[in-house]
Amino acid sequence: MRFPLFPDQASTLAPKVDELYFGLTLLSAIMMAIIFLPMLYFLYKYRRGNKVDRSPLRIPLWKIEVTWTVIPLLIVFGFYTWAADIFFDQERPPAEAMDITVIGKQWMWKIQHPEGNREINELHVPTGRAVRLIMTSQDVIHSFFLPAFRVKQDVLPGRYVTEWFQPTKVGTYHLFCAEYCGTSHSGMVGHVIVMEPADYEEWLRVGKPAETMAQSGERLFRELGCSGCHMGNSQIRAPRLEGLFGKPVPLADGQIVMADEKYIRDSILLPQSQIAAGYAPVMPTFAGHISEEELLQLLLYIKSLGLKQPEETR
Amino acid sequence: MNETEAVPVPAPAEVEENYLSAGHTVRSWLLTTDHKRIGLLYLFSIIFFFAIAAVAAAIMRLELLTPPGDLVLSATYNKLFTLHGVIMVWFFLIPSIPNVLGNFLIPMMIGARDVAFPKLNLLSWYLFMAGGLLALHAIIVGGVDTGWTFYTPYSSRYSNTHTVEMALGIFLSGFASILTGLNFIITVHEMRAPGLTWFRLPLFIWSHYATSLILVLATPVLAITLLLMMLERIWGLGIFDPRLGGDPVLFQHLFWFYSHPAVYIMILPSMAVVSELIPCFSRKRIFGYKFIAFASMAIAVLGFVVWGHHMFVSGQSVYAGMIFSILSFIVAIPSGIKVFNWTATLHRGSISFETPMLYALGFIGLFSLGGLTGLFLAALAVDVHVTDTYFVVAHFHYIMVGGTVLAFMGGIHFWWPKITGRMYPEKLGQLAALVTFIGFNLTFFPQFVMGYLGMPRRYHAYAPEFQIYHVLSTAGATILGVGYLLPVIYLLWSLRHGKKAGANPWGATGLEWQTPSPPPVHNFAEVPRVTGEPYDYSPQEEEKKAEDDHA
Ligand SMILES: [Cu+2]
Ligand SMILES: [Cu+2]
């Protein structure tokens, strides 16, 4: 039987979390000592029958109480700041992160890389690059947990969530579903395989499918008839989608929202919920007509358009 | 001692009828409105439920001896941990101390004849049993596999087990909680003996008062949440299911809005017990009485604003996470204050180590470790890694078992002579306390380590490198089981063969000790009049007495 004491450290985040963990462990040890060394001493010294001075102490009570209220309070504020600081970074993916899409379903993880490569219950990533996962669930809540990277994020149905990490060490590590999701929850496991960048390129090339995700998205964009309204010179006036992603969009009700993953998703599934300013609410909903996978492909296509210059100013 | 000017009781010096001898029929128990008998009804019921949930735990621990899922099917395993969680939380832990010891003691400690609404008190028990039996029925006809947390949309759409019936059981028992809470609040406000001002109340009462506030304010939210979940499941009302336009995270907010305070429903009463035991067995007035009393109230209030710490990875906003984190750190402070004050009480005391004291000291140790590991979970970046792993499992068992169960056992031993009129065998009691403490630590400490290694909770099968910790944990659980069984045996034995206890075997202060054991039906022959402070112990006098006895 193996006797591991500590998980692998395989991401840039892992050492930071571990430092904090050690800090907290040290704090706990000190606190336990502060409480229990005196306690054991009292229990021994003041055991019944032991002849010692038992006359009441004459120290003002409030001084003692304030001391053991304020000092712990300051200490926990310190730890709060430390932990929140790491968390804040952990929640903000760097702009140059590469996107990989993840769909959770009972009981497997379906993963697709932007280059189009698909895998199930395995995730190949290169070292030295920030990776951002765009995740959603097809059914219940799951949770994408990579212990060696110290990251975890619940994967919700009906919504995109993201999780990011930068792998540092080549190897194969656990992938667990951490949110209970039904009968085979403990079977919803797999591996993340961290490779040298060159090996990763090679892996991508070998498994290269006919279309990248954006290309699939483009095809869908035509097949589903989106292009009929959104491209060229159609009868219906619909906004061009070039340059849309990542920009603020003025809505008909005067609000301005950021065109992020959520906005694109909602625009396709719930077109009536947010109407772009200056347009008629004529876009039909595609809810029920496209799968989560296709939705992600459309998203990546629209995102790729975001990099192009719009042909007309919006 | 609370000085009482007990006006000499007129005639009946002969054996007065006590609450146990007052009636022997089943009817006299099932229709009783005596708070003491209702306390005992609760005691039998929760031990029954505890036994069922403990068996489920035992099967799970056996399953987890080996990495593959080989003893039971994964579907069965999922039902076992759901059963274990639901029964332990709602049908053992929440009612344990308040409904057994609280029911028995609150009226006696404040010099009252009963709670404010005795019939309502009985109704509580019936609701509780109705809920419990419904939950049990759901288990017998096939079980439920959602986990005690009932997360949507799994519970409201995908699970094909008896979710609605189970939720209905919990829903019903919630009303028992609310009624008990109401009853206690009004009892404490209205029924205190003359002279028993708020700051002369035993801390047991303060803590139960705080608990009752939570019971009354938080439980309705649970009722609403479960009701919405049931409605969504039955009629497809779209509240939580995104396919129906709902939001699954909303369920979590509502659920934890109740369930975090529920943690304090379980821990405040155990602090109540410990605050009685420590002064008694160290013969010292409790250190920082008011600070402990206000710490209880602070915990009750702050407990309502930290629920989001269960959801740091659930998709709530970063800023919400940061606010819930700081609040969760702060809520640790009043608990710390209590631990420091208990420790300080020992200073210059005259300490003896009877069984209840051993449990109380064990409580302080395990609760402290449970609380400190709570800081790990409040710390955002660490929580992201350890949430939904065995680290959390270990943490809350340190609080719930190391805390609540140990305090419950300590309280049962302490008040056993009062409840039954008999002493339990002391040496066996001390042995059981020790066995429990060792077994507990061996069961749950390894879970912290494997949690940080990444072992997710609610896993029927697991990766081989975690095995060593599961083996240790199962070994510990076996010892823990012995620690639980021993008291059952010798306490039953003591009912017949135990030494007669007398009114006050511990030399404790507190009104409950100034009436015979077992107490008469109406608790006190004469309404006591309180003129002094609580915990009026003197270590010096105790030492003198010990010396005299020796001489
Ligand atoms: Cu899962
Ligand atoms: Cu909580």
Side-chain angles (χ1 to χ4, degrees):
Chain A
M1 229 176 276
R2 286 169 56 195
F3 205 150
L5 281 172
F6 211 69
D8 285 316
Q9 282 187 338
S11 72
T12 49
L13 179 68
K16 294 186 213 162
V17 172
D18 290 348
E19 269 169 37
L20 175 58
Y21 177 74
F22 285 130
L24 284 160
T25 308
L26 191 68
L27 171 75
S28 303
I30 293 173
M31 291 305 291
M32 289 300 272
I34 289 178
I35 297 165
F36 289 98
L37 293 181
M39 178 187 281
L40 291 174
Y41 176 66
F42 295 162
L43 290 177
Y44 175 75
K45 184 169 177 190
Y46 300 110
R47 67 187 187 276
R48 193 163 300 159
N50 195 23
K51 292 192 180 20
V52 284
D53 178 21
R54 287 186 164 84
S55 54
L57 269 187
R58 301 257 164 253
I59 304 177
L61 177 67
W62 68 268
K63 280 193 185 163
I64 304 179
E65 298 284 351
V66 166
T67 311
W68 65 40
T69 306
V70 172
I71 294 179
L73 202 58
L74 293 179
I75 295 176
V76 298
F77 281 150
F79 275 91
Y80 162 74
T81 319
W82 184 357
D85 188 46
I86 302 175
F87 178 73
F88 202 72
D89 288 346
Q90 182 181 332
E91 291 290 309
R92 278 235 152 213
E96 72 282 2
M98 62 189 261
D99 287 338
I100 296 179
T101 63
V102 175
I103 298 171
K105 62 170 275 197
Q106 285 176 325
W107 290 278
M108 62 162 85
W109 296 106
K110 295 192 291 188
I111 290 157
Q112 191 171 14
H113 295 247
E115 293 76 8
N117 306 52
R118 296 165 195 267
E119 34 187 346
I120 285 181
N121 293 344
E122 281 197 348
L123 169 61
H124 287 76
V125 286
T127 55
R129 266 190 84 181
V131 176
R132 175 166 169 275
L133 305 178
I134 305 173
M135 309 189 287
T136 188
S137 163
Q138 241 168 265
D139 38 49
V140 301
I141 302 176
H142 304 278
S143 190
F144 201 86
F145 178 30
L146 300 170
F149 295 173
R150 312 288 186 273
V151 291
K152 181 186 290 124
Q153 171 65 50
D154 283 6
V155 179
L156 301 161
R159 192 175 143 182
Y160 291 132
V161 292
T162 59
E163 166 173 324
W164 83 272
F165 50 79
Q166 181 164 332
T168 52
K169 214 174 88 186
V170 171
T172 300
Y173 309 101
H174 285 299
L175 154 62
F176 293 132
C177 175
E179 186 61 81
Y180 175 69
C181 57
T183 312
S184 296
H185 165 58
S186 58
M188 196 166 160
V189 298
H191 292 102
V192 53
I193 296 133
V194 181
M195 313 169 98
E196 294 293 353
D199 296 341
Y200 177 70
E201 291 307 326
E202 178 61 15
W203 176 85
L204 280 179
R205 201 188 53 75
V206 170
K208 187 160 179 53
E211 289 176 331
T212 66
M213 279 188 81
Q215 284 164 347
S216 309
E218 186 173 9
R219 177 172 49 76
L220 285 166
F221 200 71
R222 278 193 318 271
E223 288 172 8
L224 291 166
C226 319
S227 53
C229 296
H230 283 286
M231 283 214 159
N233 13 13
S234 70
Q235 298 296 306
I236 301 165
R237 240 176 55 79
R240 307 278 305 192
L241 302 181
E242 287 89 348
L244 168 66
F245 194 86
K247 303 276 157 36
V249 182
L251 298 182
D253 62 8
Q255 265 186 304
I256 294 181
V257 297
M258 185 58 78
D260 55 6
E261 282 94 357
K262 176 184 183 329
Y263 177 74
I264 305 291
R265 181 189 175 91
D266 289 349
S267 295
I268 298 170
L269 298 181
L270 305 163
Q272 305 302 322
S273 69
Q274 289 171 317
I275 308 293
Y279 295 93
V282 291
M283 175 161 160
T285 173
F286 287 83
H289 298 286
I290 44 179
S291 67
E292 289 294 351
E293 222 166 325
E294 292 169 332
L295 207 51
L296 281 166
Q297 289 161 354
L298 276 172
L299 173 72
L300 258 70
Y301 168 62
I302 293 172
K303 218 171 157 175
S304 73
L305 291 178
L307 305 173
K308 295 186 186 157
Q309 278 306 308
E311 288 167 24
E312 54 181 28
T313 39
R314 290 171 52 86
Chain B
M1 262 172 226
N2 281 301
E3 287 168 41
T4 47
E5 307 165 5
V7 188
V9 188
E14 70 266 24
V15 227
E16 207 199 326
E17 199 172 45
N18 68 47
Y19 82 104
L20 290 171
S21 61
H24 294 286
T25 58
V26 172
R27 192 189 151 87
S28 77
W29 280 92
L30 292 185
L31 293 182
T32 182
T33 53
D34 183 337
H35 66 101
K36 301 183 285 303
R37 285 190 165 212
I38 295 174
L40 289 190
L41 287 177
Y42 268 112
L43 179 63
F44 303 135
S45 333
I46 65 166
I47 289 177
F48 168 68
F49 287 123
F50 179 88
I52 294 174
V55 169
I59 302 174
M60 286 191 283
R61 285 274 26 121
L62 275 179
E63 164 65 66
L64 293 171
L65 265 178
T66 54
D70 37 19
L71 182 65
V72 294
L73 296 173
S74 57
T76 313
Y77 183 85
N78 298 342
K79 288 173 184 175
L80 285 171
F81 71 66
T82 305
L83 183 170
H84 176 75
V86 167
I87 299 283
M88 281 296 192
V89 169
W90 283 295
F91 300 99
F92 174 72
L93 287 166
I94 286 183
S96 62
I97 295 175
N99 286 297
V100 177
L101 294 173
N103 248 325
F104 197 97
L105 294 166
I106 288 174
M108 302 201 39
M109 283 183 167
I110 63 171
R113 309 206 125 170
D114 208 318
V115 292
F117 306 112
K119 286 184 189 149
L120 212 58
N121 202 13
L122 184 64
L123 179 63
S124 288
W125 182 73
Y126 275 100
L127 285 171
F128 171 73
M129 286 311 283
L133 294 177
L134 207 59
L136 218 55
H137 184 256
I139 290 163
I140 292 166
V141 297
V144 177
D145 73 345
T146 59
W148 76 281
T149 44
F150 292 98
Y151 271 20
T152 52
Y154 185 70
S155 61
S156 64
R157 175 193 287 266
Y158 292 86
S159 167
N160 42 28
T161 57
H162 302 265
T163 323
V164 171
E165 196 180 345
M166 183 72 108
L168 205 62
I170 297 165
F171 180 80
L172 271 183
S173 78
F175 286 93
S177 289
I178 295 171
L179 293 184
T180 301
L182 262 180
N183 223 335
F184 285 174
I185 291 173
I186 296 171
T187 305
V188 173
H189 271 276
E190 298 296 325
M191 319 262 299
R192 301 193 311 276
L196 190 54
T197 56
W198 281 90
F199 288 120
R200 287 177 179 173
L201 286 172
L203 288 167
F204 187 92
I205 303 290
W206 272 99
S207 248
H208 272 83
Y209 184 79
T211 310
S212 304
L213 287 179
I214 307 177
L215 283 171
V216 170
L217 294 176
T219 318
V221 180
L222 174 72
I224 294 165
T225 315
L226 291 176
L227 195 67
L228 290 175
M229 187 274 281
M230 290 187 269
L231 291 180
E232 180 164 291
R233 189 167 170 99
I234 302 169
W235 288 318
L237 202 70
I239 310 277
F240 305 126
D241 187 346
R243 289 205 191 184
L244 305 170
D247 178 1
V249 179
L250 174 64
F251 176 87
Q252 298 176 24
H253 279 292
L254 292 172
F255 181 82
W256 291 114
F257 185 84
Y258 161 80
S259 290
H260 187 80
V263 171
Y264 295 114
I265 297 176
M266 302 181 236
I267 203 66
L268 278 167
S270 51
M271 295 167 156
V273 169
V274 171
S275 298
E276 299 301 306
L277 303 189
I278 297 282
C280 177
F281 291 95
S282 47
R283 289 293 185 265
K284 266 275 304 283
R285 180 166 290 191
I286 193 138
F287 195 89
Y289 172 94
K290 284 193 184 170
F291 291 88
I292 298 184
F294 285 127
S296 292
M297 299 310 285
I299 288 174
V301 173
L302 283 173
F304 274 101
V305 292
V306 299
W307 77 89
H309 64 207
H310 297 265
M311 303 166 58
F312 289 153
V313 301
S314 73
Q316 75 184 356
S317 91
V318 183
Y319 300 99
M322 289 168 82
I323 287 169
F324 283 121
S325 167
I326 185 77
L327 289 168
S328 306
F329 271 111
I330 292 172
V331 83
I333 300 297
S335 298
I337 292 177
K338 289 193 174 199
V339 169
F340 288 130
N341 278 297
W342 290 325
T343 309
T345 303
L346 300 171
H347 183 245
R348 301 200 163 179
S350 166
I351 302 167
S352 64
F353 298 93
E354 283 87 354
T355 311
M357 182 63 161
L358 294 188
Y359 277 114
L361 294 172
F363 169 94
I364 299 181
L366 302 183
F367 174 73
S368 300
L369 201 60
L372 286 166
T373 51
L375 297 182
F376 289 65
L377 299 171
L380 286 158
V382 171
D383 182 76
V384 168
H385 176 56
V386 294
T387 186
D388 279 322
T389 71
Y390 267 72
F391 192 94
V392 174
V393 176
H395 160 73
F396 69 72
H397 280 89
Y398 265 78
I399 304 282
M400 312 278 71
V401 182
T404 309
V405 176
L406 255 64
F408 177 70
M409 294 302 288
I412 287 288
H413 283 83
F414 185 60
W415 283 290
W416 189 252
K418 180 55 58 189
I419 296 172
T420 65
R422 303 278 182 166
M423 296 303 287
Y424 60 88
E426 189 57 58
K427 282 271 165 316
L428 268 176
Q430 289 168 320
L431 177 71
L434 202 67
V435 171
T436 305
F437 185 80
I438 294 170
F440 173 83
N441 280 299
L442 187 55
T443 309
F444 293 106
F445 197 84
Q447 299 187 357
F448 283 124
V449 184
M450 81 169 127
Y452 199 74
L453 280 171
M455 168 77 206
R457 67 192 282 203
R458 296 174 169 177
Y459 262 36
H460 166 238
Y462 57 86
E465 70 255 37
F466 301 121
Q467 187 178 11
I468 177 78
Y469 298 104
H470 279 297
V471 171
L472 288 174
S473 192
T474 302
T478 317
I479 300 175
L480 187 58
V482 175
Y484 288 153
L485 269 181
L486 270 176
V488 174
I489 298 168
Y490 66 69
L491 287 178
L492 285 175
W493 173 89
S494 78
L495 286 179
R496 262 169 177 272
H497 307 285
K499 260 201 342 269
K500 280 241 169 9
N504 189 1
W506 307 120
T509 67
L511 294 180
E512 78 271 27
W513 298 107
Q514 309 202 357
T515 190
S517 316
V521 177
H522 289 298
N523 299 346
F524 301 96
E526 202 62 40
V527 176
R529 204 167 273 284
V530 181
T531 55
E533 303 289 307
Y535 308 109
D536 196 7
Y537 294 106
S538 158
Q540 286 114 321
E541 270 172 36
E542 185 63 39
E543 287 298 318
K544 218 181 273 146
K545 218 167 66 202
E547 226 168 277
D548 294 348
D549 286 354
H550 221 72

